[in-house]
Amino acid sequence: MTDFTRLCIHTMTTKPWSLRETIDGYVRAGVPGITVWRQHVEPVGAEEAGRMLRESELKVVSLCRGGFFPGVTHAKRQLAIEDNKRAIDEAQAIGAPLVVLVCGAVPGMVLGEARKQILDGIAAVLDHAKQAQVKLGIEPLHPMYADSRSAVNTLEQANNMVSALQSPWVGVTVDVYHLWWDPFLQSEIKRAGKTIFSFHVCDWRTPTRDLLNDRGLMGEGCIKIPLIRKWVEEAGFNGPVEVEIFSDEYWATDQVEYVEKIKAAYLKHC
Ligand code: ZN
């Protein structure tokens, strides 16, 4: 069966392409969904990006990424809040129903303090999200990024934040790369239930040669993606399967051929 109806690819996966090239490449390949990263919006602006995306009829799944709330000074935290409001506005302009949050961390800051600042930051943008009708997905990141990218490292922590915030506009993003190792993943996915707003896939290579840019194509690593997908679907999630791969290796290859490899891996290993 070659059913690509739930396939979505992140613009960062095909990073060498401009937004124009990405849209054309995905449409040509029959990829129906796109998650847009802000750096691909920036060169053309959100209004123009929105026009291009609407014309393409691609389904815009989310905007990546907001977050990075913690800061050592009040002024820095305020800047982050303003930037997240802009991200929400950009999402609205491009027709994205969701902003994914990489919550942030500051090297040296006690993680508990960073988590408190994250919670306060999300709370500060909730009204803005509601007005824009844009949801926020808290994406826990693998603990190897706890120093500088996110103090939210397990789905339990993200679920606790969702519980504390008590808003239909906040949920979680489950990314297999960040969460596959977690002994409580299945039960926390079940607990998240309908607050699972999005689902990201790629694979964990052994060895992983770079902490950021050596993610594998699905099937190249050790993650049991179909099992985790089954859990999120049993929890009630029926949205797109988003391929998010940061890879210096694949970025150096022909992106048209790469998208075909992604389609094949999606059919076989997701
Ligand atoms: Zn992700």
Side-chain angles (χ1 to χ4, degrees), residues 41-93:
V41 173
E42 209 201 332
V44 291
E47 296 306 322
E48 174 63 9
R51 196 189 58 73
M52 286 158 63
L53 287 158
R54 279 188 295 278
E55 257 175 23
S56 75
E57 296 184 357
L58 286 173
K59 178 188 169 73
V60 183
V61 175
S62 60
L63 179 73
C64 280
R65 58 197 182 186
F68 292 96
F69 291 106
V72 287
T73 62
H74 176 78
K76 281 196 172 158
R77 297 195 289 278
Q78 206 53 41
L79 279 177
I81 286 168
E82 294 311 316
D83 187 57
N84 276 275
K85 288 181 180 171
R86 276 195 299 279
I88 290 165
D89 294 340
E90 281 173 30
Q92 189 185 35

Side-chain angles (χ1 to χ4, degrees), residues 111-176:
L111 288 172
E113 172 61 21
R115 287 171 196 139
K116 186 183 165 299
Q117 293 185 6
I118 289 164
L119 202 58
D120 291 346
I122 298 172
V125 301
L126 264 182
D127 273 349
H128 199 83
K130 186 182 171 184
Q131 276 165 25
Q133 304 278 295
V134 170
K135 292 183 173 182
L136 304 172
I138 300 172
E139 178 175 26
L141 296 202
H142 192 282
M144 69 180 169
Y145 301 121
D147 60 336
S148 57
R149 289 176 189 272
S150 184
V152 180
N153 309 106
T154 65
L155 189 55
E156 183 194 14
Q157 290 174 324
N159 281 338
N160 289 349
M161 287 184 170
V162 172
S163 298
L165 290 161
Q166 290 279 339
S167 163
W169 299 93
V170 185
V172 299
T173 289
V174 173
D175 186 323
V176 301

Side-chain angles (χ1 to χ4, degrees), residues 139 175 178 200 244:
E139 178 175 26
D175 186 323
H178 297 300
H200 297 173
E244 181 194 26

